[in-house]
Amino acid sequence: MANDLDFCVDVSKNKFLLLGEIARGGQGAVYRTQYPNTVVKLELEDGKLIPASDEARKKFRAVMTLPIPPNTNLTVPMNILEKFSGYTMRMMDEEPLESSWLESITESNPELAMIFFNLIKRGGLRRFFRAYLYAAQILAKIHGAGLVYCDFSHRNIFVSKNLEFCHVWLIDADNLDYQRNTRRKCFYTPHIGAPELHR
């Protein structure tokens, strides 16, 4: 946990136990809570928690009011944290795409057999490509609304654990903004960023 934090509280005084890290990116980490479908995003700087600030609260409120198209599988802030820079968000029973495939694929050639084993175990190549297709469809809906999702990294794409389904969600909605704002203030995983950021 960040700084061995066991729990945090949102501005509505709801308490969330931090049960384990799900994903970590350039701006912070996402944690499971005692509620199966609620996770907490904590912003970090050099691995340390960032205290809550009016600027951060304003940023999260702005994300909450963006014109995200209905039925878009993108986790957005539900409520803002009280003491630390971060927020709560709704999450289904998904796991990062990274843990599903990419960690295995980056292994060296002597372990190629293990790569294929893991790929099959996770639902096969068809499911892998389907997950990326669904992620691309989410991006198309977001971009169609005039918004840019800045950090399309494998740590921010989640896919259902149940192999009978291929539900895909993008997390980390604070990577989302209007195109005109993204070049000034967005963060993204090195070498992975929206094309709008590299013009």
Side-chain angles (χ1 to χ4, degrees):
M1 306 288 169
N3 291 13
D4 297 322
L5 186 69
D6 295 323
F7 70 93
C8 56
V9 178
D10 67 17
V11 293
S12 300
K13 305 299 182 192
N14 299 306
K15 183 176 179 178
F16 298 91
L17 302 176
L18 303 180
L19 302 180
E21 187 175 303
I22 299 172
R24 183 176 288 250
Q27 288 179 273
V30 178
Y31 296 90
R32 283 186 186 83
T33 70
Q34 75 271 33
Y35 304 108
N37 294 331
T38 303
V39 296
V40 168
K41 162 76 183 283
L42 284 167
E43 290 197 319
L44 305 172
E45 189 172 312
D46 298 324
K48 296 181 180 168
L49 292 165
I50 301 173
S53 67
D54 289 339
E55 183 180 340
R57 288 188 180 109
K58 182 178 176 185
K59 174 179 75 171
F60 300 141
R61 283 192 192 99
V63 171
M64 293 164 87
T65 61
L66 288 173
I68 299 167
N71 302 317
T72 300
N73 288 6
L74 173 70
T75 59
V76 293
M78 291 190 315
N79 212 340
I80 299 167
L81 298 181
E82 188 176 62
K83 279 182 65 177
F84 303 106
S85 184
Y87 53 86
T88 61
M89 56 186 170
R90 181 87 47 219
M91 183 78 147
M92 299 299 109
D93 186 30
E94 277 84 22
E95 62 183 357
L97 196 58
E98 173 186 43
S99 66
S100 300
W101 302 290
L102 295 183
E103 286 179 336
S104 300
I105 292 171
T106 57
E107 299 290 333
S108 60
N109 281 341
E111 291 150 10
L112 191 59
M114 183 58 83
I115 293 169
F116 287 123
F117 171 78
N118 283 328
L119 189 58
I120 292 166
K121 181 175 140 185
R122 303 281 187 196
L125 199 55
R126 180 178 294 166
R127 189 166 186 262
F128 175 78
F129 287 130
R130 187 184 301 163
Y132 269 108
L133 169 66
Y134 293 159
Q137 290 173 338
I138 295 168
L139 285 179
K141 284 175 83 171
I142 291 168
H143 287 177
L147 302 170
V148 175
Y149 185 81
C150 300
D151 192 6
F152 187 69
S153 82
H154 48 276
R155 293 185 191 102
N156 288 334
I157 307 167
F158 278 62
V159 64
S160 47
K161 288 181 184 176
N162 186 333
L163 299 183
E164 292 181 27
F165 303 100
C166 192
H167 298 148
V168 175
W169 286 76
L170 300 184
I171 67 165
D172 229 359
D174 46 327
N175 289 312
L176 190 68
D177 207 337
Y178 293 104
Q179 181 176 346
R180 66 182 174 271
N181 299 333
T182 53
R183 294 194 68 187
R184 291 197 310 265
K185 62 176 184 132
C186 73
F187 296 89
Y188 55 91
T189 303
H191 310 295
I192 302 173
E196 292 87 343
L197 307 177
H198 298 286
R199 279 203 239 155

